Amino acid sequence: MGTVEEVSGNTKSGLSAKSGVLAKIPAVAHPLAEEPAEIASNINYHVQYNPHFSPFKFEPEQAFYATAESVRNRLIQQWNQTYLHFHKADPKQTYYLSMEYLQGRSLTNAIGNLDSQDAYIDALNKLGHDLEEIVEQEKDAALGNGGLGRLASCFLDSMATLNLPAWGYGLRYRYGLFKQCIGKQGQEEIAEDWLEKFSPWEVIRHDVVFPVRFFGQIEVHASGSRKWVGGEVIQALAYDVPIPGFKTKNTISLRLWEAKAGAEDFNLFQFNDGQYESAAQLHSRAQQICAVLYPGDATEDGKLLRLKQQFFLCSASLQDIIFRFKERKEKGVRQWSEFPNKVAVQLNDTHPTLAIPELMRLLMDDEGLGWDEAWDVTTRTISYTNHTVLPEALEKWSQTVMWKLLPRHMEIIEEIDRRFIAMINSKHPGLESKLSSMCIMDNNPQKPVVRMANLCVVSSHTVNGVAQLHSDILKSELFADYVSVWPTKFQNKTNGITPRRWLRFCSPELSHIITKWLKTDEWATNLDLLADLRQFADSAAFQVEWESAKMANKQRLAQYVQQVTGVSIDPNSLFDIQVKRIHEYKRQLLNILGAVYRYKTLKEMSPEERKRATPRTIMIGGKAFATYTNARRIVKLVNDVGAVVNTDPEVSSYLKVVFVPNYNVSVAEKLIPGSELSQHISTAGMEASGTSNMKFALNGCLIIGTLDGANVEIREEIGEENFFLFGATADEVPRLRKERENGLFKPDPRFEEAKQFIRSGAFGSYDYNPLLESLEGNSGYGRGDYFLVGHDFPSYMDAQARVDEAYKDRKRWIKMSILSTAGSGKFSSDRTISQYAKEIWNIEECRVP
Ligand code: 26V
């Protein structure tokens, strides 16, 4: 649908707004509209009276903003009711602290959670627009890197849906995750300004502002009390994003902090003197804090900025939480010992660890509590989730940098450490030899650091991993020494995903069939009901419907791939997808080496032999960290292999290799429903959980994977006969690494051939030697095949051969697909969040009447 002029046939004078489609719809505010006619009126009202664009245009972009505003009208009422209800009921409330949220788009989700899909489709049709087209206008809110950030967003959805008193806290980055383009040299990063036009979902709270201090010194008072003074003070200003629950009034908040300097910080004298930059120095420093998600920390300045971001989130959030604790007291002053009965703070990885010393500081220095009382409150309030065992990802901050930026917090951390060491010495003398690795301060004179994970373990009442295998590894390896000190502190909370976004909304075709056969749509809030699909797995009628829904999704995906890559893919081929951050441990290299070997084999076949091959489309997508050279090389290799394979007339109807650019939440929503096989092939023991594995399985996609992270539990749930397993197990990895390092193994001929084929220049002249050498020896670029790509290659290829065979038997494949969905009930984030609520946070439902 075009402009109003087009609609009415009028000229560019623009005076035609009253004619055409819009003119037939009264522009009247109906903030609570539920009927299509009123919704259309309300959208038109926003077009006419809240125009962000020239009011005579009504193109999809303007239609998106006006529609989003009309949806927001409805959310705001529920949102205020929820806040007031929590305020009155005063339940214990959870605060989820996370440096990352990957919200993606919000329009479809909000309309779906309001259960108003049909009404909005209808309303937009009346306005000459198409909801499906309108939602494509929205930019992804990509305030996260990958699984950890998306998990936080799925958790918010479940907290709201389960009517739990819970909020999220994060940072309002101006530039979220970069946009990925593929050029001649491979990945190019482009800054993405998701707020360029504005976000219709956020509400600025001018009345919620807290000061956050950096640097400065400590003042010691005669009483012995200490106070942090001086330095630089930046204001934290709240922006709230509504998080609606599914089919409930409860609408919770994601509060994102923005950094600001005040008017009083602007030096008018300097400015008038022509010193423009120094006049606004604090303003520009404030701006830096929320400028970029995880800015590179290769430099000292970069590290300092990241630490500032972390502290900014922690300090602003805790001041806000304490303010609310005081505000909600019924009669008189509340006892501080009650704080943990009203507040639970969950740390999403170690990124918000500074919440620990900051809570101690606020309680002692501002509220006057003694150490023991403050420590008791802090440790009963805070719990910590670990999301990785990779040593390079465990945060360690330079003590020098921390003393400069946060001197009072360093005093507190030193005291926590001192008391911890004293406790071990007196109560666990047997652990004395372990103390140097268990304590918080690593005082190595070369590079003294604070170990954030140790600080979290010592100061939290509960520590959890994110899948059973991962939690077991935490207990037996990473945190083993602490287990004897605190045997009940460690738990498992297997991750989950929201079935609303990841099935109901992204795959309406499959959802309808599920609802039709289960005779209820309650599976969207009780995912265990999917198990009832098992009884239909052999039904021919059900299989036909299932297959046609999957086919519709594949066709939609094929169109998308054509549009973004120009590559035409055949919906009758097996759609095989691996999408996730590019990392050596996730082994996209294993996938592409497998594809290279497949290509080479197809080339060597006779045309007759080729006809018996299972046609495959391999799609790979994901972003490489800008400074991660090997990850960038992998992206380049996938693109180079695709360029050759896809244009080879002998082979291209049997194999396509496509790199899907700019993988993000909304791209995932297109890829996952159309997938038939997905690869979750990390080196065993290295992927803490994975969550896309759950999204694929839920969408009836089969998994080829290792016994790693949540794969183990997915395989248990859907049945081992429906999972293509290969590779070493976690407990074999250390021994195999030694073998590889020392060259004590027999090279696999297929693996050698695949590498040699790349080296021969079959995919262009780019120098892939450094990448391939990481799979070999121990000198030069060699890393002795640390990720065991070579070791797992033969069993991977065998598993792929089983996939090809299984795909030929359509009935068997569809049955496996149905059983994947049917076995996915456990992986709802509703289950995960209920377990956190009961077993860690001790909070209960608080439903808005
Ligand atoms: C971060 C970094 C940064 C420096 C370079 C190496 C490296 C390696 C890994 C990471 C991951 C940090 C934490 C994280 O994102 N973990 C992910 O959390 C997901 C949600 O629990 C989980 O499903 C993924 O398995 C886990 O990798």
Side-chain angles (χ1 to χ4, degrees):
M1 192 67 250
T3 62
V4 174
E5 294 90 83
E6 269 174 293
V7 169
S8 61
N10 271 347
T11 60
K12 282 249 183 290
S13 74
L15 295 172
S16 56
K18 284 196 166 58
S19 59
V21 175
L22 281 181
K24 292 192 194 123
I25 310 282
V28 180
H30 284 293
L32 306 180
E34 290 185 30
E35 296 309 315
E38 285 187 347
I39 292 173
S41 280
N42 196 46
I43 293 174
N44 195 13
Y45 170 83
H46 284 289
V47 174
Q48 307 297 331
Y49 297 107
N50 205 3
H52 300 281
F53 302 85
S54 122
F56 311 113
K57 272 192 169 172
F58 191 50
E59 288 176 355
E61 190 180 30
Q62 195 189 12
F64 160 70
Y65 282 102
T67 306
E69 281 177 341
S70 88
V71 172
R72 198 181 74 179
N73 287 158
R74 272 187 63 191
L75 294 185
I76 279 179
Q77 192 211 24
Q78 302 191 165
W79 200 9
N80 289 339
Q81 283 176 356
T82 308
Y83 188 87
L84 281 176
H85 184 64
F86 287 178
H87 189 80
K88 268 211 290 232
D90 190 26
K92 179 172 181 183
Q93 186 163 330
T94 293
Y95 298 96
Y96 198 78
L97 263 58
S98 178
M99 288 286 283
E100 303 188 15
Y101 291 89
L102 270 181
Q103 291 284 93
R105 290 173 175 158
S106 292
L107 186 57
T108 303
N109 192 70
I111 292 175
N113 278 9
L114 289 168
D115 206 17
S116 294
Q117 182 98 5
D118 294 341
Y120 270 88
I121 291 174
D122 206 355
L124 279 161
N125 282 342
K126 290 184 196 303
L127 292 164
H129 279 290
D130 182 23
L131 181 60
E132 250 184 74
E133 186 192 8
I134 296 304
V135 299
E136 292 294 322
Q137 297 296 315
E138 184 173 0
K139 287 199 178 191
D140 272 41
L143 309 182
N145 279 295
L148 172 142
R150 183 54 231 175
L151 183 77
S153 294
C154 282
F155 278 6
L156 294 179
D157 183 84
S158 285
M159 289 168 182
T161 300
L162 293 168
N163 303 304
L164 289 170
W167 267 22
Y169 279 109
L171 293 183
R172 183 178 180 265
Y173 305 107
R174 173 90 214 218
Y175 299 103
L177 191 57
F178 62 87
K179 179 172 165 191
Q180 178 194 53
C181 291
I182 303 300
K184 286 246 170 335
Q185 300 306 311
Q187 170 177 298
E188 290 164 11
E189 302 88 30
I190 293 160
E192 177 106 278
D193 185 357
W194 70 292
L195 295 167
E196 183 186 45
K197 299 215 165 121
F198 82 101
S199 161
W201 306 112
E202 58 178 18
V203 173
I204 181 165
R205 303 289 189 202
H206 293 286
D207 53 335
V208 182
V209 183
F210 295 98
V212 177
R213 189 182 305 276
F214 299 104
F215 307 108
Q217 2 19 100
I218 296 148
E219 232 174 50
V220 185
H221 295 239
S223 63
S225 70
R226 304 171 89 79
K227 201 137 195 114
W228 183 25
V229 296
E232 160 184 306
V233 176
I234 308 261
Q235 305 299 323
L237 168 64
Y239 282 73
D240 286 350
V241 179
I243 309 291
F246 177 69
K247 292 195 193 176
T248 170
K249 275 194 180 166
N250 281 52
T251 300
I252 60 171
S253 291
L254 167 56
R255 178 158 281 183
L256 300 176
W257 299 107
E258 153 94 326
K260 275 224 160 313
E264 65 283 4
D265 300 314
F266 188 78
N267 191 326
L268 210 51
F269 179 80
Q270 281 185 340
F271 191 85
N272 288 335
D273 195 37
Q275 303 171 51
Y276 305 124
E277 261 149 44
S278 48
Q281 204 181 41
L282 202 66
H283 289 74
S284 99
R285 287 208 200 179
Q287 241 175 26
Q288 286 166 18
I289 292 181
C290 294
V292 203
L293 164 80
Y294 204 154
D297 62 3
T299 64
E300 281 309 306
D301 282 349
K303 288 200 176 81
L304 182 70
L305 184 56
R306 167 81 173 165
L307 192 60
K308 273 183 145 182
Q309 291 185 327
Q310 296 187 344
F311 181 65
F312 192 72
L313 167 68
C314 295
S315 179
S317 306
L318 282 168
Q319 290 183 66
D320 194 32
I321 292 166
I322 288 176
F323 178 86
R324 200 164 309 110
F325 172 71
K326 290 178 171 176
E327 189 188 49
R328 282 190 191 165
K329 66 178 183 267
E330 282 148 273
K331 21 189 168 357
V333 180
R334 271 217 260 238
Q335 298 290 314
W336 281 104
S337 59
E338 273 181 55
F339 189 80
N341 306 331
K342 292 290 172 191
V343 174
V345 172
Q346 186 69 36
L347 307 182
N348 195 22
D349 216 323
T350 54
H351 317 151
T353 304
L354 290 166
I356 295 162
E358 176 65 349
L359 182 53
M360 288 294 287
R361 184 190 72 84
L362 291 165
L363 293 174
M364 293 191 299
D365 301 359
D366 287 5
E367 306 295 341
L369 275 67
W371 179 277
D372 290 336
E373 211 187 341
W375 181 246
D376 176 65
V377 169
T378 302
T379 52
R380 286 196 292 133
T381 301
I382 289 184
S383 44
Y384 151 63
T385 306
N386 173 283
H387 294 267
T388 182
V389 295
L390 298 198
E392 69 269 34
L394 292 179
E395 287 190 297
K396 295 189 174 90
W397 285 105
S398 146
Q399 290 185 16
T400 324
V401 172
M402 284 193 55
W403 274 113
K404 210 167 85 180
L405 189 71
L406 303 164
R408 179 66 182 123
H409 299 78
M410 280 301 275
E411 283 189 345
I412 293 169
I413 295 169
E414 277 197 330
E415 182 62 13
I416 296 174
D417 201 29
R418 195 188 66 74
R419 287 172 185 247
F420 169 69
I421 293 168
M423 184 274 285
I424 295 293
N425 281 330
S426 75
K427 294 202 180 142
H428 302 272
L431 283 173
E432 218 176 307
S433 65
K434 309 275 186 191
L435 256 180
S436 63
S437 64
M438 289 173 84
C439 66
I440 298 163
M441 295 287 188
D442 176 351
N443 294 324
N444 175 349
Q446 307 299 315
K447 197 173 174 279
V449 292
V450 182
R451 300 168 178 137
M452 304 312 258
N454 291 16
L455 178 52
C456 284
V457 172
V458 170
S459 316
S460 298
H461 59 82
T462 306
V463 174
N464 75 282
V466 290
Q468 191 61 56
L469 175 68
H470 168 63
S471 300
D472 291 346
I473 292 174
L474 289 183
K475 286 207 327 192
S476 62
E477 293 171 35
L478 200 60
F479 300 142
D481 296 333
Y482 299 103
V483 175
S484 56
V485 183
W486 296 295
T488 59
K489 190 180 275 207
F490 300 89
Q491 295 193 11
N492 173 56
K493 291 287 164 280
T494 298
N495 282 166
I497 55 167
T498 167
R500 274 75 65 184
R501 182 178 292 264
W502 297 112
L503 180 55
R504 189 170 164 118
F505 305 148
C506 74
S507 185
E509 300 85 351
L510 210 57
S511 298
H512 282 140
I513 292 169
I514 293 170
T515 300
K516 180 179 153 193
W517 284 74
L518 292 181
K519 299 200 173 72
T520 171
D521 68 353
E522 270 173 38
W523 56 267
T525 44
N526 179 5
L527 205 61
D528 288 330
L529 292 180
L530 292 181
D532 289 345
L533 292 175
R534 287 192 182 120
Q535 61 187 301
F536 312 124
D538 286 308
S539 148
F542 187 56
Q543 288 199 353
V544 166
E545 289 183 34
W546 192 266
E547 189 174 22
S548 79
K550 286 299 294 186
M551 181 48 92
N553 289 340
K554 286 177 75 179
Q555 280 163 342
R556 220 161 17 114
L557 174 52
Q559 271 175 20
Y560 176 74
V561 166
Q562 168 88 53
Q563 178 200 323
V564 295
T565 66
V567 180
S568 143
I569 59 174
D570 178 3
N572 290 308
S573 64
L574 193 171
F575 279 13
D576 163 351
I577 303 186
Q578 186 183 21
V579 279
K580 42 186 88 237
R581 287 301 294 254
I582 310 289
H583 204 296
E584 285 164 291
Y585 86 81
K586 295 180 189 277
R587 299 199 295 191
Q588 284 91 355
L589 196 47
L590 177 59
N591 184 350
I592 197 67
L593 283 165
V596 164
Y597 189 80
R598 179 179 288 266
Y599 174 61
K600 189 166 177 284
T601 312
L602 282 165
K603 286 294 279 180
E604 287 160 3
M605 283 177 182
S606 70
E608 284 314 305
E609 280 174 313
R610 245 177 246 142
K611 284 195 185 118
R612 288 193 293 274
T614 300
R616 255 210 220 214
T617 301
I618 301 172
M619 294 171 245
I620 299 179
K623 294 177 182 177
F625 220 101
T627 52
Y628 189 169
T629 310
N630 267 357
R632 303 185 74 101
R633 289 177 176 135
I634 291 169
V635 172
K636 173 81 175 128
L637 178 57
V638 176
N639 279 282
D640 283 355
V641 170
V644 170
V645 171
N646 301 341
T647 52
D648 184 329
E650 276 182 327
V651 167
S652 72
S653 42
Y654 300 97
L655 179 63
K656 289 266 162 72
V657 174
V658 181
F659 187 86
V660 182
N662 199 38
Y663 179 61
N664 61 17
V665 173
S666 36
V667 174
E669 288 164 8
K670 297 190 171 73
L671 291 171
I672 293 169
S675 61
E676 294 178 290
L677 178 76
S678 69
Q679 306 209 19
H680 305 276
I681 58 177
S682 49
T683 315
M686 301 195 79
E687 187 71 273
S689 160
T691 41
S692 75
N693 43 5
M694 302 168 184
K695 296 166 196 166
F696 281 104
L698 180 62
N699 278 273
C701 173
L702 305 189
I703 290 177
I704 180 168
T706 46
L707 278 182
D708 200 15
N711 284 358
V712 178
E713 290 156 80
I714 294 175
R715 180 166 168 268
E716 260 165 36
E717 294 292 312
I718 68 181
E720 57 184 63
E721 66 285 7
N722 302 310
F723 189 106
F724 298 98
L725 181 69
F726 75 96
T729 55
D731 57 320
E732 295 168 341
V733 166
R735 176 179 59 80
L736 292 170
R737 276 190 182 140
K738 281 216 182 78
E739 271 182 27
R740 298 257 134 191
E741 259 177 49
N742 303 327
L744 302 171
F745 64 96
K746 206 167 124 243
D748 175 65
R750 291 183 286 183
F751 184 56
E752 297 308 311
E753 261 183 65
K755 287 186 292 179
Q756 190 44 44
F757 198 42
I758 297 172
R759 286 197 164 109
S760 73
F763 306 104
S765 57
Y766 184 89
D767 181 11
Y768 284 112
N769 275 311
L771 185 60
L772 297 172
E773 278 169 26
S774 73
L775 309 174
E776 294 161 355
N778 236 335
S779 55
Y781 295 105
R783 281 197 67 184
D785 194 17
Y786 184 76
F787 301 100
L788 300 180
V789 175
H791 176 271
D792 282 353
F793 191 81
S795 72
Y796 174 70
M797 294 309 286
D798 295 347
Q800 288 289 18
R802 296 201 300 275
V803 170
D804 289 327
E805 273 318 295
Y807 197 72
K808 286 180 184 158
D809 181 349
R810 297 305 303 152
K811 275 192 167 330
R812 177 177 161 215
W813 187 275
I814 293 162
K815 180 177 177 184
M816 291 168 87
S817 166
I818 294 166
L819 292 175
S820 290
T821 302
S824 292
K826 174 176 173 184
F827 305 103
S828 167
S829 48
D830 297 343
R831 186 267 313 149
T832 313
I833 284 298
S834 303
Q835 291 178 334
Y836 275 93
K838 273 201 209 73
E839 296 158 21
I840 300 184
W841 302 331
N842 193 23
I843 61 166
E844 278 167 8
E845 173 181 282
C846 186
R847 185 195 290 265
V848 176

